[in-house]
mmCIF file of all heavy atoms in Angstrom:
data_model
loop_
_atom_site.group_PDB
_atom_site.id
_atom_site.type_symbol
_atom_site.label_atom_id
_atom_site.label_comp_id
_atom_site.label_asym_id
_atom_site.label_seq_id
_atom_site.Cartn_x
_atom_site.Cartn_y
_atom_site.Cartn_z
ATOM 1 N N CYS A 26 -2.139 -14.788 0.491
ATOM 2 C CA CYS A 26 -1.812 -15.566 -0.707
ATOM 3 C C CYS A 26 -0.324 -15.441 -1.037
ATOM 4 O O CYS A 26 0.345 -16.441 -1.292
ATOM 5 C CB CYS A 26 -2.668 -15.083 -1.879
ATOM 6 S SG CYS A 26 -2.446 -16.060 -3.377
ATOM 7 N N ASN A 30 2.703 -18.295 -0.993
ATOM 8 C CA ASN A 30 3.548 -18.549 -2.165
ATOM 9 C C ASN A 30 5.027 -18.392 -1.842
ATOM 10 O O ASN A 30 5.847 -19.215 -2.268
ATOM 11 C CB ASN A 30 3.147 -17.622 -3.314
ATOM 12 C CG ASN A 30 1.826 -18.010 -3.942
ATOM 13 O OD1 ASN A 30 1.371 -19.148 -3.808
ATOM 14 N ND2 ASN A 30 1.189 -17.069 -4.609
ATOM 15 N N ARG A 35 6.836 -20.506 -4.566
ATOM 16 C CA ARG A 35 6.043 -20.303 -5.776
ATOM 17 C C ARG A 35 6.107 -18.837 -6.198
ATOM 18 O O ARG A 35 6.440 -17.969 -5.393
ATOM 19 C CB ARG A 35 4.586 -20.696 -5.497
ATOM 20 C CG ARG A 35 4.455 -22.183 -5.190
ATOM 21 C CD ARG A 35 3.112 -22.562 -4.639
ATOM 22 N NE ARG A 35 2.006 -22.034 -5.430
ATOM 23 C CZ ARG A 35 0.733 -22.252 -5.119
ATOM 24 N NH1 ARG A 35 0.417 -22.974 -4.052
ATOM 25 N NH2 ARG A 35 -0.224 -21.766 -5.855
ATOM 26 N N PRO A 36 5.783 -18.530 -7.454
ATOM 27 C CA PRO A 36 5.714 -17.124 -7.872
ATOM 28 C C PRO A 36 4.758 -16.345 -6.971
ATOM 29 O O PRO A 36 3.699 -16.859 -6.589
ATOM 30 C CB PRO A 36 5.193 -17.202 -9.308
ATOM 31 C CG PRO A 36 5.635 -18.556 -9.783
ATOM 32 C CD PRO A 36 5.525 -19.452 -8.567
ATOM 33 N N ILE A 37 5.124 -15.147 -6.629
ATOM 34 C CA ILE A 37 4.473 -14.398 -5.558
ATOM 35 C C ILE A 37 2.966 -14.212 -5.732
ATOM 36 O O ILE A 37 2.220 -14.252 -4.755
ATOM 37 C CB ILE A 37 5.177 -13.048 -5.315
ATOM 38 C CG1 ILE A 37 4.687 -12.419 -4.012
ATOM 39 C CG2 ILE A 37 5.041 -12.131 -6.518
ATOM 40 C CD1 ILE A 37 5.544 -11.296 -3.491
ATOM 41 N N LEU A 38 2.469 -14.038 -6.936
ATOM 42 C CA LEU A 38 1.027 -13.814 -7.123
ATOM 43 C C LEU A 38 0.308 -15.005 -7.771
ATOM 44 O O LEU A 38 -0.845 -14.891 -8.159
ATOM 45 C CB LEU A 38 0.779 -12.549 -7.950
ATOM 46 C CG LEU A 38 0.974 -11.239 -7.187
ATOM 47 C CD1 LEU A 38 0.934 -10.042 -8.128
ATOM 48 C CD2 LEU A 38 -0.056 -11.090 -6.083
ATOM 49 N N GLU A 39 0.974 -16.141 -7.824
ATOM 50 C CA GLU A 39 0.353 -17.335 -8.398
ATOM 51 C C GLU A 39 -0.900 -17.703 -7.608
ATOM 52 O O GLU A 39 -0.880 -17.747 -6.376
ATOM 53 C CB GLU A 39 1.348 -18.496 -8.381
ATOM 54 C CG GLU A 39 0.818 -19.753 -9.045
ATOM 55 C CD GLU A 39 1.893 -20.825 -9.107
ATOM 56 O OE1 GLU A 39 2.799 -20.715 -9.944
ATOM 57 O OE2 GLU A 39 1.814 -21.752 -8.276
ATOM 58 N N ASN A 40 -1.989 -17.958 -8.321
ATOM 59 C CA ASN A 40 -3.275 -18.335 -7.707
ATOM 60 C C ASN A 40 -3.829 -17.280 -6.756
ATOM 61 O O ASN A 40 -4.603 -17.610 -5.854
ATOM 62 C CB ASN A 40 -3.167 -19.690 -7.001
ATOM 63 C CG ASN A 40 -2.871 -20.802 -7.973
ATOM 64 O OD1 ASN A 40 -3.385 -20.821 -9.083
ATOM 65 N ND2 ASN A 40 -2.001 -21.722 -7.579
ATOM 66 N N CYS A 41 -3.438 -16.039 -6.948
ATOM 67 C CA CYS A 41 -3.968 -14.939 -6.125
ATOM 68 C C CYS A 41 -5.027 -14.145 -6.884
ATOM 69 O O CYS A 41 -5.314 -12.998 -6.556
ATOM 70 C CB CYS A 41 -2.839 -14.011 -5.681
ATOM 71 S SG CYS A 41 -1.657 -14.755 -4.538
ATOM 72 N N GLY A 42 -5.603 -14.736 -7.894
ATOM 73 C CA GLY A 42 -6.628 -14.068 -8.688
ATOM 74 C C GLY A 42 -6.047 -13.551 -9.983
ATOM 75 O O GLY A 42 -4.862 -13.269 -10.078
ATOM 76 N N TYR A 72 7.663 -11.391 -11.046
ATOM 77 C CA TYR A 72 6.363 -11.900 -11.489
ATOM 78 C C TYR A 72 5.775 -11.046 -12.614
ATOM 79 O O TYR A 72 5.186 -11.572 -13.552
ATOM 80 C CB TYR A 72 5.389 -11.936 -10.303
ATOM 81 C CG TYR A 72 4.067 -12.579 -10.643
ATOM 82 C CD1 TYR A 72 3.925 -13.967 -10.612
ATOM 83 C CD2 TYR A 72 2.964 -11.812 -11.010
ATOM 84 C CE1 TYR A 72 2.717 -14.570 -10.929
ATOM 85 C CE2 TYR A 72 1.754 -12.408 -11.327
ATOM 86 C CZ TYR A 72 1.638 -13.781 -11.285
ATOM 87 O OH TYR A 72 0.445 -14.374 -11.603
#
Side-chain angles (χ1 to χ4, degrees):
C26 185
N30 287 340
R35 295 168 49 180
I37 192 165
L38 284 171
E39 184 175 285
N40 296 321
C41 293
Y72 186 83

